[in-house]
Structures are given as C-alpha cells and as structure tokens.
Amino acid sequence: MRITVHGTGYVGLVTGACLSDVGNQVLCVDVDEGKVQDLRAGRIPIYEPGLEEIVRRNAAGGRLEFTSDVARGVAHGPFQFIAVGTPKDEDGSADLGHVLTVARSIGQEMADYKVVVTKSTVPVGTGDKVRQAVADALAQRLASIEFDVVSNPEFLKEGAAVGDFMKPDRIIVGSDTARATEMLRDLYEPFGRNRDKVIVMDLRSAELTKYAANAMLATKISFMNELANMAEACGADIEQVRIGIGSDPRIGFEFIYPGCGYGGSCFPKDVSALVRSARDHGADMELVRAVDNVNARQKEVLIKKIGKFFNDQLKDRTIALWGLAFKPDTDDMREASSRVLMEKAWHSGARIRAYDPKALDEARHIYGDRSDLTYCRSSTEALEGADVLAVVTEWREFRSPDFELIRDRLAHKAVFDGRNIYDPAMVRRAGLRYFGIGRGDAAGPVTAVGKAFPRSR
C-alpha cells in the first residue's frame, strides 16, 4: 500500500518506519528540509531502540522515503497520516495548529479519494475540525473530491515504541464509513496475525480513548506517589505496600511504582489537555486535575529531601545526578523530573554533575554550557567531587552499582533514590545514608553539615 505520513517526529517516524517494514511504500513528509536531509543520510533525530536499523533497512530497500514536498506527499497514495506535534498551549489545551495546517494542505493538493488518518494525540472533536479544514480547502478550489477522516491514535511507549507498533495490544480505529474502516483493517492486517486487534468505534470515542488511557495510567502513578508520601509520614514501606496491592489481579503491578514524578511528551501534556477539553465541553474532571497537581508536587520531592539533608543550605554543594531522560531507553527530557531537580538546585546555589547514557546531547541542547553544570561521561565520573548522589532515571546500568565506591567518592555519603531501585539495607551496609520515596528515609552511620543523624524508627 502507498502511505504518506506527515511529520517525522517521534510518532511519525516510528509509524512510517514500521509500516514500511511490512512491505508498504511509505513517504514521510516534513517541512523541515534539514531534518529531511538528515533522515535521507540515515541520521535519526531521536534515540529509540531498534528504530535506526528499521529506517536504514527500509530506506535502502526503497520502501521508505523522505521529502519536504507536501504536494508530492499528498499525491503519493490514498492514506494520509497526520502525525505532527500537538504541543501544550498556555491554557493547557492542545495546540492543533500543525494538525489543521496539514489538513488544509491535503485539501489543497488532493486529486482523488483520500483517507485522512489522525495519528496525533488530539482532543475530542478534532476529527470534525480536520474534516472541515479539508472541505474548506476543496471548496476554495471549487473541487468535489470524496475523502474520509479517521482517528487512529497511537499507543507507543518511548523506549519500546517499535515493539509496541509491530506487536500492538490493540489498534483503535475511529471511523464513520465502511470504506475507510475496511481500508484501515487491510492496512493493519499484518500486525494482527494471531488475532484481530482492530477495535472499531466512532471517531469521537477513538479520540477520547487515547486521552482516557494516558490519564488512567497517570492516575495510577500519582495515586502511588500519594501513598508513598503517606507511607513516609507514618513509617510504612511503600515497596511492601506495592507488592501487597499489586498481587490483587484487579490492580496488578503495572504503573504502580512510586517515584519522583512522571514526565515525557505524553502524560503531562495529555492530562492537561483532557482537563481543558472537558472544561470546553462543560465537564469538570476534578480527579484528573488532582493527578496533574500531585505530579507537579512530586517532582520537587527529591530536591526537598536533599535540601533538608543540608539544613536548607545548598549553596556551593555539588549533586551527582544519575539520569536525565524522563525514563530509560530514550533521550527525551521533556517534562523530565531531572529538570526540576537541576533548576531548583541551581536556584539554591548548588552545582550538578550529570550523567545519562543517552540524554547528554539533549541536555546540552536545552541548557548549553554553564558553570554549575558538568556533563560527565560515566556514572563514576559524576561522583567525583560530589557531596551526594541523586538517581532520577532507572537506567539498567544504575541498578547494581558499587556502593563502596560511591561511599568513597561522596563527601557526605548519602544516596537519594528517586525511583526506589535500591535495597535500603544494602546501601546502609556500605556506610551510606539512604533516602527513597516512601521508604522511611532509613539512616546510616554518617553525618552531614557536622551533625549526626539518628536512625529512623
């Protein structure tokens, strides 16, 4: 099949590459000519495991091409996927400017039937706006050409996006016509060989399904973080609580890991957009608003613990920071907890020595060179000259470190574990203080700022 994907960001590139990998002829369109040239040369703008190999393989095989020529993209085939960004606007709503620009371009250039597939995450009712934008562009040309609009939201996890696309749990198709529905069924048939994974519904329900899924997952995370704060206040261990409740099959273990807040390109933006969309339709999503507020507060937990450790005297302290990306196996720092920690540490006069296996270049792009930020080439280098260690991303290489080496390198012998990946007892045996999330802040035999810290009860 001949498919055009408008947008070569995270969703667009993964979508185009994976669709080409099953034999389709895919043309990816992006108005950024520099990005197009990079992709043609095999330079991938994001880090996603397995993606570079698929892009290069299918580009070499002639199944995947890149262009900045919108007219060529519209003429390429009947499938017109819209996979451009929908950034958060100042009022929390999703900015549909790029989506509607693509829709108008399709209407301006199309010469035969098209099925316009919205892959971008958009508020309920966007399909109607896309349909109107295409129709208006056709009317300006005095052209009468048939087209359909379909909602086909993505459910890709950063760090596992290729696997999610190739072996999906479900494929949501929001369609109002039998013709478009059957075309999408045929398109996705190679991705559901063991069972039919296509779930067909009306267009607005498909749009809401995407927001509902992300809001539900974000709710589980914020709920666990609220419980973690409660556990810390009353002397319980949230990790034992997690195992206790996760063993209930009605709850399960997915997305009930407490930590220092969620980030990335989806959850923060989509939760805010859902709240705003509900308000626009006369509904008040009180619970979802609370999820957002809890997450914003949770991102400050780790730096507040560090501040308390130093009696709120962070000036001239140095924090070794392990992890910059919002999660492992990506270089994405959008809404990352690391950014909150660093920026608040700098505001208090502290310095950061940061290491991340993949996100150092992204950090340089965001923060540039500054005297209070050192980019380190290894986790060990980040410890040199540091007072304490903060872990905010649970990269695999951080899971089993040499705690005695950490103890010897740190001036104040304390580990702040923002993802609860360490056993507090093991850390303490190495002569380090341990501060986790909801774990009682069990103390070890060290001092900070010249004061002894008693063991927690």
Side-chain angles (χ1 to χ4, degrees):
M1 298 185 182
R2 299 180 68 81
I3 303 160
T4 299
V5 179
H6 296 270
T8 60
Y10 183 83
V11 173
L13 189 57
V14 172
T15 298
C18 291
L19 287 172
S20 70
D21 205 44
V22 296
N24 296 301
Q25 297 293 318
V26 178
L27 179 62
C28 290
V29 180
D30 201 292
V31 295
D32 186 338
E33 180 62 31
K35 183 185 289 188
V36 169
Q37 293 300 328
D38 284 342
L39 289 166
R40 285 174 176 170
R43 293 188 290 271
I44 309 302
I46 58 174
Y47 173 74
E48 180 63 37
L51 180 59
E52 183 174 347
E53 177 185 351
I54 291 180
V55 170
R56 289 183 174 180
R57 177 172 66 243
N58 288 283
R63 294 179 296 276
L64 180 62
E65 297 182 85
F66 303 95
T67 184
S68 58
D69 187 341
V70 176
R72 180 189 169 198
V74 175
H76 177 72
F79 291 99
Q80 299 287 313
F81 278 81
I82 301 178
V84 293
T86 53
K88 184 165 67 174
D89 221 334
E90 291 182 1
D91 61 359
S93 63
D95 185 346
L96 298 178
H98 300 310
V99 171
L100 297 180
T101 294
V102 173
R104 285 189 289 270
S105 297
I106 293 171
Q108 291 164 357
E109 302 293 344
M110 62 187 286
D112 50 16
Y113 172 79
K114 304 293 181 186
V115 54
V116 181
V117 185
T118 305
K119 201 73 173 171
S120 304
T121 300
V122 295
V124 177
T126 299
D128 297 334
K129 295 179 180 180
V130 168
R131 182 182 288 112
Q132 190 62 53
V134 176
D136 288 347
L138 287 171
Q140 290 178 357
R141 297 167 50 197
L142 302 178
S144 179
I145 304 172
E146 192 176 357
F147 70 95
D148 284 310
V149 175
V150 171
S151 174
N152 177 219
E154 53 85 15
F155 297 95
L156 307 177
K157 299 186 296 292
E158 291 195 44
V162 171
D164 287 344
F165 197 103
M166 302 303 285
K167 296 180 179 180
D169 298 317
R170 77 285 205 199
I171 300 168
I172 302 296
V173 174
S175 173
D176 298 328
T177 70
R179 181 180 185 181
T181 299
E182 288 309 306
M183 288 179 68
L184 267 293
R185 281 191 181 278
D186 290 343
L187 177 65
Y188 282 115
E189 194 274 339
F191 301 95
R193 301 292 291 175
N194 61 338
R195 63 177 174 86
D196 184 8
K197 297 179 180 179
V198 174
I199 301 173
V200 179
M201 58 186 70
D202 65 89
L203 198 123
R204 288 193 168 216
S205 295
E207 292 171 338
L208 182 55
T209 295
K210 168 62 177 180
Y211 274 138
N214 279 354
M216 175 63 78
L217 297 175
T219 298
K220 293 181 74 173
I221 295 171
S222 281
F223 177 71
M224 284 304 295
N225 284 333
E226 286 274 72
L227 281 181
N229 296 335
M230 167 66 176
E232 197 160 296
C234 70
D237 185 346
I238 191 61
E239 288 301 311
Q240 296 183 39
V241 175
R242 178 182 65 80
I243 294 169
I245 67 174
S247 300
D248 185 332
R250 297 171 300 174
I251 299 173
F253 288 101
E254 295 294 324
F255 286 86
I256 62 168
Y257 291 88
C260 51
Y262 60 75
S265 62
C266 295
F267 286 6
K269 174 176 68 71
D270 294 352
V271 166
S272 295
L274 180 58
V275 170
R276 178 54 193 244
S277 181
R279 188 180 303 140
D280 291 344
H281 287 87
D284 179 21
M285 303 200 75
E286 184 177 356
L287 175 60
V288 181
R289 284 192 285 109
V291 167
D292 197 24
N293 293 336
V294 167
N295 189 60
R297 185 172 68 241
Q298 196 69 16
K299 289 182 178 181
E300 299 181 6
V301 165
L302 217 56
I303 189 61
K304 285 182 177 179
K305 287 176 179 285
I306 297 172
K308 183 178 179 181
F309 181 80
F310 286 113
N311 295 333
D312 294 324
Q313 299 296 319
L314 283 178
K315 183 174 174 57
D316 295 327
R317 298 294 180 185
T318 299
I319 301 169
L321 180 62
W322 284 4
L324 293 166
F326 85 94
K327 64 180 288 188
D329 295 318
T330 182
D331 60 354
D332 193 345
M333 288 182 61
R334 285 174 288 186
E335 304 278 353
S337 300
S338 63
R339 298 179 65 168
V340 175
L341 187 150
M342 287 192 293
E343 289 165 14
K344 289 191 172 295
W346 292 330
H347 181 74
S348 298
R351 296 180 294 269
I352 300 291
R353 294 181 60 81
Y355 168 70
D356 187 284
K358 295 295 179 181
L360 287 176
D361 287 343
E362 180 64 14
R364 284 193 180 93
H365 175 74
I366 296 169
Y367 294 114
D369 294 323
R370 46 187 300 160
S371 60
D372 50 9
L373 173 59
T374 301
Y375 301 103
C376 301
R377 294 167 295 178
S378 70
S379 57
T380 302
E381 183 183 341
L383 299 171
E384 296 175 2
D387 291 294
V388 296
L389 168 64
V391 182
V392 297
T393 313
E394 61 275 33
W395 284 96
R396 188 175 293 109
E397 69 177 81
F398 300 157
R399 290 184 178 272
S400 185
D402 183 339
F403 289 115
E404 292 183 357
L405 182 145
I406 294 173
R407 178 199 64 205
D408 293 342
R409 297 294 176 90
L410 296 178
H412 285 92
K413 321 299 183 192
V415 174
F416 293 83
D417 182 2
R419 299 300 175 187
N420 286 0
I421 60 177
Y422 301 134
D423 177 358
M426 183 179 293
V427 177
R428 291 198 304 269
R429 282 197 298 269
L432 289 158
R433 290 285 298 278
Y434 176 84
F435 298 86
I437 304 295
R439 310 206 69 180
D441 289 356
V446 295
T447 60
V449 200
K451 294 181 66 177
F453 285 76
R455 289 184 181 274
S456 299
R457 295 186 184 274

